[in-house]
Amino acid sequence: MGILEILGLAGSLSLLAGWRLYLTILATGIAMHFGWLPLPEHLQSLQILANPWVLGVAAVGTLAEFLADKVAWIDSIWDTIHSLIRPLGGALLALALVDSSDPAWQVIAFILGGGGALLSHGAKATTRAVVNVSPEPFSNAAVSTGEDVATTGLLALAIAYPPLAIVIAILLLVAAVVVIIALRRLLRNIKATLKRTLGDEPADPALPSG
């Protein structure tokens, strides 16, 4: 893989780790185990992800996340717990993909990988906060299943076609930013509506008091 493919794969994996950290580790490890993801010489240390113990722990984490993510409010608790774990995992995945002989690139990869994972995690957590407000019980499971399918599909594409990884990373980055901005505005509107409904909206000082 060339430098662009490595950077694209690092970006894709770190961003997807913000959605599904354990699934990302599991899929990457399985791809390495079966030789679907050819590694340059300086990336052979990543073979640790194909270790049976690592795969086992990642599989348990994937199952736990799959179940927790389908239940309203439990998913938000899970997201809160992973607010540090996912960015750190994304940063370490990105760090492992760059040349260990170049400290500058390692620092850059660690910062960008952690930042990317934090950004996608923020988009996911914010989406769940909005979905959990919905009174019906099915939207949460539907959104979670959509994330499962999207993460699996994008991981498969990035691993099978490394040249596409940079495109996937860019699209994920743009989507995360757009989602966060849109949902923050929506949450503000919901909060303002609730205040007006409950009569907690502060009185307009320009209106006469009597």
Side-chain angles (χ1 to χ4, degrees):
M1 290 189 293
I3 184 63
L4 285 180
E5 293 173 341
I6 292 173
L7 290 177
L9 189 58
S12 297
L13 293 181
S14 61
L15 284 160
L16 289 170
W19 285 1
R20 296 287 189 274
L21 173 61
Y22 304 108
L23 177 59
T24 301
I25 294 174
L26 179 63
T28 306
I30 290 174
M32 291 173 179
H33 178 76
F34 288 102
W36 300 335
L37 187 61
L39 297 176
E41 190 65 31
H42 72 274
L43 297 181
Q44 291 304 313
S45 61
L46 266 182
Q47 288 293 344
I48 188 62
L49 295 179
N51 181 282
W53 285 102
V54 175
L55 290 176
V57 172
V60 171
T62 299
L63 178 60
E65 188 161 60
F66 177 84
L67 296 175
D69 215 51
K70 301 295 183 293
V71 183
W73 301 114
I74 291 180
D75 60 344
S76 291
I77 295 172
W78 183 270
D79 285 340
T80 301
I81 294 172
H82 285 77
S83 294
L84 178 61
I85 299 174
R86 284 175 183 154
L88 182 58
L92 292 176
L93 280 172
L95 179 63
L97 284 167
V98 301
D99 192 344
S100 58
S101 65
D102 190 339
W105 268 113
Q106 285 196 306
V107 172
I108 292 171
F110 187 83
I111 293 173
L112 294 182
L118 179 62
L119 184 65
S120 58
H121 165 75
K124 177 189 183 301
T126 307
T127 301
R128 287 315 171 81
V130 173
V131 172
N132 284 336
V133 176
S134 173
E136 50 80 24
F138 304 109
S139 57
N140 188 280
V143 171
S144 178
T145 301
E147 290 175 355
D148 292 331
V149 173
T151 303
T152 303
L154 291 174
L155 277 171
L157 278 176
I159 291 171
Y161 305 101
L164 284 179
I166 187 69
V167 177
I168 293 172
I170 292 172
L171 291 177
L172 286 171
L173 183 63
V174 172
V177 172
V178 170
V179 166
I180 288 176
I181 293 174
L183 290 180
R184 282 176 63 88
R185 290 178 178 173
L186 179 60
L187 285 174
R188 284 200 300 266
N189 290 338
I190 292 174
K191 186 177 179 180
T193 301
L194 287 175
K195 282 186 175 182
R196 287 194 297 269
T197 302
L198 298 174
D200 294 333
E201 191 77 18
D204 189 339
L207 296 176
S209 57

